[in-house]
Amino acid sequence: MTARVPIGIVMNGVTGRMGYRQHLVRSLLAIREQGGLPLRGGGRLWPELVLVGRNEAKLRDVAARHGLTEWSTDLDAALARPDVSIYFDAQVTSEREKAIGLAIAAGKHIYTEKPTATTLSGAVDLARAADAAGVRHGVVQDKLFLPGLRKLDRLVRGGFFGRILSVRGEFGYWVFEGDWQQAQRPSWNYRSADGGGIAVDMFPHWHYVLEQIFAPVRAVTAHITTHIPRRWDEDGQPYDATADDAAYAIFELDGGIVAQVNSSWAVRVNRDELVEFQVDGTEGSAVAGLRRCRVQHRASTPKPVWNPDLPVTDDFRSQWQEVPDNEVYDNGFKEQWEMFLRHVAEDAPYTWDLWAGARGVQLAELGLQSAREGRRVEVGELTA
Ligand SMILES: NC(=O)c1ccc[n+]([C@@H]2O[C@H](COP(=O)([O-])OP(=O)(O)OC[C@H]3O[C@@H](n4cnc5c(N)ncnc54)[C@H](O)[C@@H]3O)[C@@H](O)[C@H]2O)c1
């Protein structure tokens, strides 16, 4: 058996939805289950996990459930451990900046959920501090690893679209208010003082999807609002929803590409997936979701004629062709963890760093500014 090469990781926020399911169970424990991550020079990288959180009972429970022995409610003490080299953060957004700052000061490499901070200045400070400390840093950009978006990316790289004209994104679903049916998302998402809001949550995703698959984002015009002003929390108590729950945005990209993305927790789903992007180009179009991607080539584009006097005879949805997988897709969070671990352990390249994270926060901040001021806002370059 090849030797295990241990790598110590502090995981903060593992009792939360993302920290537990995607990062602990589906990523790092899954890597252990497959025997560790094979390294180029031999040996298998073996994540040694130190769970950190506020609630001792919950941590003990998570640790016991997965046969883990190391956990602590003392972040400073965990960061002081010499056998830990990476700090990972999946806490509520409002707690992130402070904790990552401590981890950088302790000389740990940083891997974190998005958004990296609640303000652009905070996000840039973290990126600068991490560079100055010489630590490696990475930010979760999971949507890029969704099979549907991987296929879309393949189409773009393969030149399927010709000149890309526009991108239309629809994201959202109905998040219950919490009175007569429990809400399916944590209540902090709907309080701005706790780092909530759909723009802060989703614009960082849209930023890397647009920048990585299509082109850099140069301007934003947004209408952002709170449709549901009163909600009920985890204890059934009513509260004022101070954060935005819907954002209607137009992003202008290099090359004249217009990306229009609606994000809403107050919309009922009438599409095939919870997020879908339609891309129209001179040579063809595509509709990509989380898993599927369908195309219509220029040569097979029908010619509908507008006539409200006649019933529709075309079955428009059937006129699209499925893009095959052509590869096996692993869990996206796990794939990205593996890339980051290789970045730390064997110097493999890794592009989605705290600067990329800061650009996502910047887009959220400028989108909110656009909505507040009722105008188009240009997106400037961030400088180190
Ligand atoms: N990449 C993605 O697709 C994705 C999806 C959802 C959420 N997220 C991000 O992950 C982070 C966590 O989101 P979640 O949905 O898992 O939230 P959650 O409420 O389920 O979990 C929050 C975690 O933070 C901890 N925490 C620390 N301080 C806290 C405080 N003061 N108040 C409340 N909780 C506190 C909780 O104990 C818990 O472990 C957020 O930053 C969010 O933006 C990313």
Coordinates of all heavy atoms in Angstrom, one line a residue, residues 17 172-178 181-187 189-190 231-232 234 239 265-267 269 274:
R17 N -25.2 23.6 6.5 CA -25.6 22.9 5.3 C -24.5 22.5 4.4 O -24.2 21.4 4.0 CB -26.6 23.7 4.5 CG -28.0 23.8 5.2 CD -28.9 24.5 4.2 NE -28.3 25.6 3.4 CZ -28.7 26.0 2.2 NH1 -29.7 25.4 1.6 NH2 -28.1 27.0 1.6
G172 N -33.7 30.3 -9.3 CA -34.5 30.6 -8.1 C -35.6 29.6 -7.9 O -35.8 28.7 -8.7
Y173 N -36.3 29.7 -6.8 CA -37.4 28.8 -6.4 C -38.1 29.5 -5.2 O -37.6 30.5 -4.7 CB -36.8 27.5 -6.0 CG -35.6 27.5 -5.1 CD1 -35.8 27.5 -3.7 CD2 -34.3 27.6 -5.7 CE1 -34.7 27.5 -2.9 CE2 -33.2 27.6 -4.8 CZ -33.4 27.6 -3.5 OH -32.3 27.6 -2.6
W174 N -39.2 29.0 -4.8 CA -39.9 29.6 -3.7 C -39.3 29.2 -2.4 O -39.3 28.0 -2.1 CB -41.4 29.2 -3.8 CG -42.2 30.1 -2.9 CD1 -42.6 29.7 -1.6 CD2 -42.7 31.4 -3.1 NE1 -43.3 30.8 -1.0 CE2 -43.4 31.8 -1.9 CE3 -42.7 32.2 -4.2 CZ2 -44.0 33.0 -1.8 CZ3 -43.3 33.4 -4.1 CH2 -44.0 33.8 -2.9
V175 N -38.8 30.1 -1.6 CA -38.4 29.8 -0.3 C -39.5 30.1 0.7 O -39.9 31.3 0.7 CB -37.1 30.5 0.1 CG1 -36.7 30.3 1.5 CG2 -35.9 30.1 -0.8
F176 N -40.0 29.1 1.3 CA -41.2 29.3 2.2 C -40.9 30.4 3.3 O -39.8 30.4 3.8 CB -41.7 28.0 2.7 CG -42.5 27.2 1.7 CD1 -41.9 26.4 0.8 CD2 -43.8 27.5 1.6 CE1 -42.6 25.7 -0.1 CE2 -44.6 26.8 0.6 CZ -43.9 25.9 -0.3
E177 N -42.0 31.1 3.6 CA -41.8 32.2 4.5 C -41.6 31.7 5.9 O -41.0 32.4 6.8 CB -43.1 33.0 4.6 CG -43.5 33.7 3.3 CD -44.3 32.8 2.3 OE1 -44.2 31.6 2.3 OE2 -45.1 33.4 1.5
G178 N -42.0 30.4 6.2 CA -41.7 29.9 7.5 C -42.9 29.9 8.5 O -42.8 29.4 9.6
Q181 N -45.4 26.8 6.4 CA -44.5 25.7 6.1 C -43.1 26.2 6.4 O -42.8 27.3 6.1 CB -44.6 25.3 4.6 CG -45.8 24.6 4.2 CD -45.7 24.0 2.9 OE1 -44.8 23.2 2.6 NE2 -46.7 24.3 2.0
Q182 N -42.2 25.3 7.0 CA -40.9 25.8 7.4 C -40.1 26.2 6.2 O -40.2 25.6 5.2 CB -40.2 24.6 8.2 CG -39.3 25.2 9.3 CD -38.7 24.1 10.1 OE1 -38.7 22.9 9.7 NE2 -38.3 24.4 11.3
A183 N -39.3 27.3 6.4 CA -38.4 27.7 5.3 C -37.3 26.7 5.1 O -36.9 26.0 6.0 CB -37.7 29.0 5.7
Q184 N -36.9 26.5 3.8 CA -35.9 25.5 3.5 C -34.5 26.1 3.4 O -33.6 25.4 2.9 CB -36.3 24.7 2.2 CG -36.3 25.5 0.9 CD -37.6 26.2 0.5 OE1 -38.2 26.8 1.4 NE2 -38.0 26.1 -0.7
R185 N -34.4 27.4 3.8 CA -33.0 28.0 3.9 C -32.9 28.6 5.2 O -33.9 29.1 5.8 CB -32.8 29.0 2.8 CG -32.7 28.5 1.4 CD -32.6 29.6 0.4 NE -31.4 30.5 0.6 CZ -30.2 30.2 0.3 NH1 -29.9 29.1 -0.4 NH2 -29.2 31.0 0.6
P186 N -31.6 28.7 5.8 CA -31.5 29.3 7.1 C -31.9 30.8 7.1 O -31.7 31.5 6.1 CB -30.0 29.2 7.3 CG -29.5 28.2 6.4 CD -30.4 28.2 5.2
S187 N -32.5 31.2 8.3 CA -33.0 32.6 8.3 C -32.0 33.7 8.2 O -32.4 34.8 7.7 CB -33.8 32.8 9.6 OG -32.9 32.6 10.7
N189 N -30.0 34.2 6.0 CA -30.0 34.6 4.6 C -30.9 35.8 4.3 O -30.8 36.5 3.2 CB -30.4 33.5 3.7 CG -29.3 32.4 3.5 OD1 -28.4 32.7 2.7 ND2 -29.4 31.3 4.2
Y190 N -31.9 36.0 5.2 CA -32.9 37.1 4.9 C -32.7 38.3 5.8 O -33.6 39.2 5.9 CB -34.3 36.4 5.0 CG -34.4 35.3 4.1 CD1 -34.0 34.0 4.5 CD2 -34.6 35.5 2.7 CE1 -34.0 33.0 3.5 CE2 -34.6 34.5 1.8 CZ -34.2 33.2 2.2 OH -34.1 32.2 1.3
R231 N -40.7 37.2 7.6 CA -40.5 35.7 7.5 C -40.5 35.2 8.9 O -40.5 35.9 9.9 CB -39.2 35.4 6.8 CG -39.2 35.7 5.3 CD -37.9 35.3 4.6 NE -38.0 35.5 3.2 CZ -38.4 34.5 2.4 NH1 -38.7 33.3 2.8 NH2 -38.5 34.7 1.1
W232 N -40.5 33.9 9.1 CA -40.5 33.2 10.4 C -39.2 32.3 10.5 O -38.9 31.6 9.5 CB -41.7 32.3 10.5 CG -43.0 33.1 10.8 CD1 -43.6 33.2 12.1 CD2 -43.7 34.0 10.0 NE1 -44.6 34.1 12.0 CE2 -44.8 34.6 10.7 CE3 -43.6 34.3 8.6 CZ2 -45.7 35.5 10.2 CZ3 -44.5 35.2 8.0 CH2 -45.6 35.8 8.8
E234 N -36.2 29.7 12.5 CA -36.1 28.3 12.8 C -36.9 28.0 14.1 O -37.3 26.8 14.3 CB -34.6 27.9 13.1 CG -33.7 27.9 11.8 CD -33.3 29.2 11.3 OE1 -33.6 30.3 11.8 OE2 -32.6 29.2 10.2
Y239 N -39.8 37.6 11.9 CA -38.7 38.6 11.9 C -38.9 39.4 10.6 O -39.5 39.0 9.7 CB -37.3 38.0 12.0 CG -36.9 37.1 10.8 CD1 -36.2 37.6 9.8 CD2 -37.4 35.7 10.8 CE1 -35.8 36.8 8.7 CE2 -37.0 34.9 9.7 CZ -36.2 35.4 8.7 OH -35.9 34.6 7.6
W265 N -35.7 34.2 -4.7 CA -36.2 33.2 -3.7 C -37.7 33.4 -3.6 O -38.3 32.9 -2.7 CB -35.5 33.4 -2.4 CG -34.1 32.9 -2.4 CD1 -33.6 31.8 -2.9 CD2 -33.0 33.6 -1.7 NE1 -32.2 31.7 -2.7 CE2 -31.8 32.8 -2.0 CE3 -32.8 34.8 -1.0 CZ2 -30.6 33.1 -1.5 CZ3 -31.6 35.1 -0.5 CH2 -30.5 34.3 -0.7
A266 N -38.3 34.2 -4.5 CA -39.7 34.4 -4.5 C -40.3 34.2 -5.9 O -41.0 35.0 -6.4 CB -40.0 35.9 -4.0
V267 N -39.9 33.0 -6.5 CA -40.4 32.7 -7.8 C -40.7 31.2 -7.8 O -40.1 30.4 -7.1 CB -39.3 33.0 -8.9 CG1 -38.1 32.2 -8.7 CG2 -39.9 32.9 -10.3
V269 N -41.0 27.6 -9.7 CA -40.2 27.0 -10.8 C -41.1 26.5 -12.0 O -41.9 25.6 -11.8 CB -39.3 25.9 -10.3 CG1 -38.5 25.3 -11.4 CG2 -38.5 26.3 -9.2
L274 N -33.2 24.2 -11.4 CA -33.3 25.4 -10.6 C -32.5 26.5 -11.1 O -32.8 27.7 -10.7 CB -32.9 25.0 -9.1 CG -33.8 24.0 -8.4 CD1 -33.5 23.9 -6.9 CD2 -35.3 24.3 -8.6

